[in-house]
Amino acid sequence: MELLITIILLLFCLLISNIVSHYLPSIPTALTQIAFGVVMALLFSDFELELEAEWFLLLFVAPLLYNDGRHFPREELWKMRTSILGNAIILVLLTTIVGGYFVHWLIPSIPLAAAFALAAILSPTDPVAVNGIAKRIHIPASVLNLVRGESLINDASGLVAFNYAVAAVVTGYFSITEALTDFTYTFFIGAVAGLVLSLLIIIIRFILRKQGIQDVTFHSLLQVLTPFLIFIIAEEMLHASGVIAVVVGGIIHSLVSERTETMLAEEQVLTENIWSIVIFILNGIVFLLLGLNIPSSIVDTVEDPSLSNWLIIGYVMLIGMVILGIRFFWSYLFSIYEYKMNKKREIEKPSIKHTLLVSLTGVRGAVTMAGVLSIPFVIHTGQGFPERSLILFLAAGVIMFTLLAATIFLPFLSKSSGETEINDEDLVIRAKKKIMLSTIDKLYLEMNEENTAAAYELIDEYKRRIKQLNYQVARTEEEENNYSALVEIRLRALKEERNYVHQLVKKEKISEEVFAIFEKSLD
């Protein structure tokens, strides 16, 4: 019962946080949700929700990354492959090594291996919070695509580096050869597992359809369960990276569905609606859980008399600036290298402003908190994990530092980021008109004696829809009034149809089944 109440309370806070964000658009929803989580933890002192890192990755990270893989623009992913892989692998290693040495130098009480663990888990970026900021300011598409692309991979590379650093602290043993071998295995076997399992599930769906199992709810549920199945098999059976497996699985699903039209229209609509609800809930609860765990993770450090509160806040700010600084220098140097290597000069010339945008969008979040909470309490000697509570405090603090830095500084940089803002609605209307005009041309070519009447009827329907789209672009006041009148009349006609159908069913002139079909059509 307590778990059920906890879930309901989290969902209620999720709704309230979104209402608050509506009235306070300058504050990202992620920050609002973290604040709600902290308040819940402080108000209900006995309120605890401990979630192991493996469970967190399965329940939250797997479906979120699978969904990102389904929708990521693959052409952009391919064009930016060098930058994405550089940020997702080389930058993670740089952050782990340079950041680890800096943490150990700054706080000598944290052993070098533990400092590497902290720096490694601070290396993965979280695009969810950045997307929340991007909804209210204009961030260049190239920057957002880079952050989204690297986050598909750096969760895996950061977690592997973190796990090896933690193992070195706990066991007192570390081998660079074994670490590189394990990383290669988990990465590539995870990718292969995602490819094979995703194709296998698609084949199973084809077979089930041939057997007459056409229920759209069944197939939609199978799609939603796919990332969980892929993650469990990759992690538990193959001991590979479940994170990489679900990302590859999402991309393969998108590629196959585009080329084979595997889904019925009704199934497509239902599946996307289910995914939108699932992603909305998971994104929100991730940051609520982050806020819930912050008080418990910092209480021991705050209560430690040997550490001044102002001192550890200074530690957080310095580590946060170094983590972002490493990202800045890597991004700037790599952009210079890309620009010089690109002989056609198809990419933008490197600039400090653009590099700052890339750096500040490297917000840390859910994966960092999930990983750091999984740090064991004791090591092989029976002693406690060195400075565990301080490491938890530093991780939580850096997450908040990067979020606040992005919230404060990105709006100033985005005002003169060098890219002109394009009206998304106009782009969609233009695309719709282009598609329909192309379709009309194709229909004229396919016309013959048998289908002429049907073809002309369909062409007239397309022309009517194009005319409606024209009404939506650059309308005069008179055209606006005409369009509004047209919409009002059509809605009134639909209302009359609905009333008549209701009268028929009351008089028992049509069955409930027929009534349901008409209701669905009118909706």
Side-chain angles (χ1 to χ4, degrees), residues 33 88 128 141 186-187 194-195 255 290 371 374 376 387 422 438 452 458 517:
Q33 288 160 347
V128 176
T186 56
F187 189 93
L195 170 66
L255 286 170
L290 178 57
S374 70
E387 300 291 0
I422 301 171
S438 176
T452 300
L458 186 55
I517 292 170

Side-chain angles (χ1 to χ4, degrees), residues 19 23 43 77 80 82 85 147 150 191 201 219 228 260 269 273 297 373 377 387 394 406-407 437 458 460 464 497:
I19 294 172
Y23 290 104
L43 288 178
L77 185 71
M80 302 177 70
T82 309
L85 288 173
V147 175
E150 66 174 301
I201 291 171
H219 285 280
F228 302 102
T260 61
V269 172
N273 286 337
S297 66
L373 288 171
F377 287 90
E387 300 291 0
L394 294 173
T407 303
L437 288 169
L458 186 55
D460 287 341
R464 184 185 63 79
E497 286 186 52

Side-chain angles (χ1 to χ4, degrees), residues 164-185:
Y164 260 91
V166 169
V169 179
V170 173
T171 63
Y173 171 78
F174 177 76
S175 168
I176 187 66
T177 306
E178 289 182 14
L180 290 173
T181 303
D182 188 61
F183 176 79
T184 304
Y185 172 84

Side-chain angles (χ1 to χ4, degrees), residues 391-427:
I391 290 172
L392 292 180
F393 180 94
L394 294 173
V398 171
I399 291 171
M400 293 299 296
F401 176 84
T402 56
L403 261 172
L404 289 170
T407 303
I408 295 168
F409 295 111
L410 278 178
F412 295 104
L413 291 169
S414 65
K415 289 178 182 177
S416 53
S417 58
E419 289 191 18
T420 56
E421 191 166 0
I422 301 171
N423 190 314
D424 290 339
E425 187 178 355
D426 286 346
L427 282 175

Side-chain angles (χ1 to χ4, degrees), residues 5 35 179 182 191 233 277 291 312 372 375 379 396 401 411 420 426-427 437 446 462 494 508 516 519:
I5 292 172
D182 188 61
I233 293 172
I277 295 171
I312 53 178
V372 81
I375 293 177
I379 60 176
F401 176 84
T420 56
D426 286 346
L427 282 175
L437 288 169
E446 296 292 329
Y462 275 119
L494 286 170
E508 298 183 354
E519 277 283 275

Side-chain angles (χ1 to χ4, degrees), residues 10-38 126-137 279-291 363 400 403-404 406-407:
L10 285 172
L11 292 175
F12 182 74
C13 288
L14 173 60
L15 293 174
I16 298 298
S17 66
N18 277 269
I19 294 172
V20 171
S21 293
H22 174 75
Y23 290 104
L24 298 173
S26 59
I27 301 175
T29 307
L31 272 177
T32 306
Q33 288 160 347
I34 290 174
F36 265 83
V38 171
D126 189 338
V128 176
V130 179
N131 288 339
I133 298 170
K135 288 178 181 177
R136 61 186 178 84
I137 62 172
I279 298 305
F280 175 80
I281 292 171
L282 294 181
N283 277 337
I285 290 183
V286 159
F287 289 103
L288 286 170
L289 290 175
L290 178 57
V363 175
M400 293 299 296
L403 261 172
L404 289 170
T407 303

Side-chain angles (χ1 to χ4, degrees), residues 92-341:
V92 166
L93 294 175
L94 275 176
T95 304
T96 301
I97 296 169
V98 178
Y101 275 112
F102 176 78
V103 169
H104 178 64
W105 171 81
L106 183 68
I107 313 171
S109 61
I110 298 180
L112 187 58
F116 284 148
L118 173 60
I121 206 58
L122 287 173
S123 60
T125 52
D126 189 338
V128 176
V130 179
N131 288 339
I133 298 170
K135 288 178 181 177
R136 61 186 178 84
I137 62 172
H138 175 63
I139 297 176
S142 58
V143 176
L144 287 176
N145 285 334
L146 176 61
V147 175
R148 289 177 61 196
E150 66 174 301
S151 70
L152 293 175
I153 303 171
N154 65 14
D155 288 344
S157 53
L159 285 168
V160 169
F162 168 75
N163 288 333
Y164 260 91
V166 169
V169 179
V170 173
T171 63
Y173 171 78
F174 177 76
S175 168
I176 187 66
T177 306
E178 289 182 14
L180 290 173
T181 303
D182 188 61
F183 176 79
T184 304
Y185 172 84
T186 56
F187 189 93
F188 286 104
I189 298 300
V192 172
L195 170 66
V196 173
L197 292 171
S198 185
L199 289 174
L200 183 62
I201 291 171
I202 290 168
I203 291 169
I204 290 171
R205 290 175 57 216
F206 271 119
I207 294 171
L208 291 174
R209 280 213 176 90
K210 285 185 177 181
Q211 296 297 318
I213 301 175
Q214 300 282 356
D215 184 68
V216 293
T217 307
F218 170 84
H219 285 280
S220 296
L221 179 60
L222 181 57
Q223 280 197 65
V224 174
L225 289 176
T226 295
F228 302 102
L229 295 173
I230 292 174
F231 187 90
I232 290 171
I233 293 172
E235 286 279 342
E236 299 300 322
M237 296 184 181
L238 302 175
H239 304 291
S241 172
V243 172
I244 292 295
V246 294
V247 169
V248 173
I251 294 172
I252 295 300
H253 165 82
S254 179
L255 286 170
V256 172
S257 63
E258 278 181 6
R259 285 161 173 74
T260 61
E261 297 182 5
T262 55
M263 285 194 289
L264 303 172
E266 190 178 0
E267 180 188 332
Q268 176 77 35
V269 172
L270 178 60
T271 303
E272 291 305 319
N273 286 337
I274 292 172
W275 268 114
S276 65
I277 295 171
V278 169
I279 298 305
F280 175 80
I281 292 171
L282 294 181
N283 277 337
I285 290 183
V286 159
F287 289 103
L288 286 170
L289 290 175
L290 178 57
L292 275 171
N293 283 292
I294 284 177
S296 60
S297 66
I298 66 176
V299 64
D300 292 336
T301 302
V302 173
E303 292 176 352
D304 189 344
S306 64
L307 290 171
S308 163
N309 290 344
W310 287 110
L311 178 65
I312 53 178
I313 290 172
Y315 287 159
V316 166
M317 295 180 69
L318 285 171
I319 293 171
M321 286 189 286
V322 166
I323 294 295
L324 292 180
I326 294 169
R327 183 178 178 84
F328 174 85
F329 283 110
W330 162 261
S331 299
Y332 189 69
L333 293 174
F334 193 79
S335 63
I336 292 174
Y337 166 77
E338 274 194 311
Y339 184 75
K340 288 183 177 180
M341 293 297 292

Side-chain angles (χ1 to χ4, degrees), residues 41 43-48:
L43 288 178
F44 307 101
S45 56
D46 56 343
F47 184 85
E48 289 186 6

